[in-house]
Amino acid sequence: MLIWIIFAVMTGAAVMSVLWPLGRRQPPIFADTAGATSLYRAQVAEIDRDLGRRLIGGAEAEAAKAEAARRLLRAAEIESAPAGDSEPSLRRRRAASAIALSCVPLLALLVYGAYGSPTMPDQPLAARLKTSPAGQDFEIALARIEAHLAANPTDGKGWSVLAPVYLRQGRFDDAARAFAAAIRHGGPSAEHHAGQGEALILAAGGVVTAAARESLAAAVKLDPANPRARFFLAIGEEQDGKIPEAVALLKALLAEAPADAPWTGAVRARLEGLQGSSDPAAAAIANLPAQDQTVAIRGMVDSLAARLGEGGGTLAEWSRLIRSQAVLGEKPAALKSLATARERLAADADALTALGTLAGELGLQEAAR
């Protein structure tokens, strides 16, 4: 209750401080025009000094000089106007000022009481930045980490925390640089190298580049069982046209996977897609002239999309459709298929995980958000 009394007293004092001068006849602002001119010159000199000390920019200086000139013109107009106000106009001004200044605080109080949170304790930013990141807003926590690393760029542990965040946000180039900094300042690790490789792949639109292969190979060297590095190396073999090698890598990864590994669905879907690509229809398309292959592939994709649009569909079929549409440059269709697949397979947690991995690989993060 005391705080509201203090607020009321402060509001009243503020209102009276404004009403008091408004209720009096305004004397001339300057004794003469020379006084206004002198003040104008002093203001311009002060602005030039601030500009010389680089406290303000050129644009701000010009704006300030223009405002000083406007004040000089207004002063000259006042000096030339008849002195004093008439009694009726003075009363009207007093009444209008009193009503306006009384209604504004009252209206603000009513709006705050209806839509604000008067019982909510204050949450100063400095205090929030000192609390545990788990209890902070995500943006505050991220800003805190970034500010810390800006001041301590050799903190490898900080970079290892920031890099996965960038990766999840879709900031792939930033994630690759953050993983590199974590390796440089915190020492190499399989997870850091694998994360760097994944970030480089996603930054390249899903292509396993030479730099990404180098990072993935370093991860496997440090930890031969690292599933992320092995998965993307298998994708690299696939992109090189080495389908049997890619299938062998994925089969080995599944054979060694823990029973409760959440990523097995994505690996299994990829494996089924590769094995399905070796059917007779695919082989027949591969034997067609280059100009006819695109037409044939598009026909197969449209046929698959029409069939799946009628209902049902396995994870492997949806994955094949989404991947094909993305490769053909039909991103809106791929996004729509991804959303439909998630609806159809909503009860299969492994399938949803696999679809999420596929979305990241193909740069379809918009659908994941």
Side-chain angles (χ1 to χ4, degrees):
M1 184 65 181
L2 179 60
I3 189 64
W4 292 107
I5 296 175
I6 295 174
F7 285 159
V9 172
M10 293 173 63
T11 302
V15 170
M16 289 304 299
S17 66
V18 175
L19 285 177
W20 179 256
L22 289 176
R24 302 175 60 190
R25 286 186 172 87
Q26 300 299 318
I29 297 177
F30 301 105
D32 50 34
T33 306
T37 304
S38 299
L39 179 59
Y40 169 72
R41 290 173 179 171
Q43 290 175 336
V44 171
E46 180 65 24
I47 293 169
D48 288 337
R49 283 195 296 271
D50 289 344
L51 180 61
R53 293 195 299 266
R54 296 186 178 179
L55 297 178
I56 60 176
E60 290 85 351
E62 292 300 325
K65 289 180 180 179
E67 178 59 28
R70 284 192 290 270
R71 286 198 294 268
L72 176 62
L73 292 174
R74 286 197 297 270
E77 292 173 358
I78 292 174
E79 290 296 332
S80 61
D85 295 323
S86 65
E87 189 63 29
S89 66
L90 183 61
R91 286 197 298 270
R92 286 195 299 270
R93 189 174 67 190
R94 288 173 177 172
S97 302
I99 293 173
L101 291 173
S102 300
C103 290
V104 168
L106 180 60
L107 180 62
L109 183 62
L110 292 175
V111 171
Y112 180 69
Y115 299 101
S117 303
T119 60
M120 179 72 69
D122 62 341
Q123 296 181 336
L125 178 62
R128 279 184 287 167
L129 291 178
K130 293 180 181 178
T131 61
S132 171
Q136 301 172 7
D137 295 336
F138 176 77
E139 293 79 7
I140 296 296
L142 180 58
R144 180 174 181 267
I145 296 172
E146 291 176 329
H148 168 76
L149 288 175
N152 304 274
T154 59
D155 182 1
K157 185 176 181 180
W159 288 114
S160 67
V161 171
L162 186 60
V165 175
Y166 282 156
L167 192 62
R168 287 193 297 271
Q169 286 185 321
R171 298 169 59 178
F172 304 131
D173 290 323
D174 290 336
R177 286 190 288 268
F179 277 118
I183 295 169
R184 183 167 58 253
H185 300 299
S189 74
E191 281 304 311
H192 289 163
H193 279 293
Q196 183 185 29
E198 181 179 2
L200 291 170
I201 292 169
L202 295 176
V207 177
V208 183
T209 62
R213 288 177 188 271
E214 184 178 347
S215 297
L216 297 172
V220 172
K221 184 176 180 179
L222 291 170
D223 178 14
N226 186 277
R228 177 157 57 166
R230 294 170 64 186
F231 177 71
F232 284 110
L233 284 173
I235 293 177
E237 294 294 296
E238 175 190 346
Q239 291 177 354
D240 286 344
K242 301 177 181 178
I243 304 301
E245 289 82 350
V247 169
L249 289 174
L250 293 176
K251 284 183 176 180
L253 185 56
L254 280 177
E256 300 171 17
D260 57 347
W263 42 264
T264 55
V267 177
R268 189 173 291 108
R270 189 73 180 221
L271 179 60
E272 292 175 358
L274 288 177
Q275 291 174 330
S277 66
S278 60
D279 60 19
I285 291 176
N287 293 326
L288 290 173
Q291 62 271 21
D292 296 334
Q293 287 184 6
T294 301
V295 176
I297 292 172
R298 189 175 296 276
M300 290 185 63
V301 171
D302 291 343
S303 175
L304 179 60
R307 180 167 61 82
L308 292 178
E310 296 175 356
T314 65
L315 173 61
E317 290 174 324
W318 281 110
S319 298
R320 190 180 307 121
L321 175 61
I322 295 166
R323 185 181 303 280
S324 299
Q325 290 171 331
V327 170
L328 290 172
E330 300 174 352
K331 188 172 182 179
L335 287 169
K336 182 177 179 181
S337 297
L338 179 60
T340 305
R342 282 178 165 148
E343 293 176 0
R344 300 274 179 84
L345 304 174
D348 189 341
D350 290 340
L352 293 178
T353 301
L355 290 172
T357 302
L358 180 63
E361 177 192 337
L362 298 177
L364 303 176
Q365 288 78 18
E366 294 90 339
R369 294 170 188 166

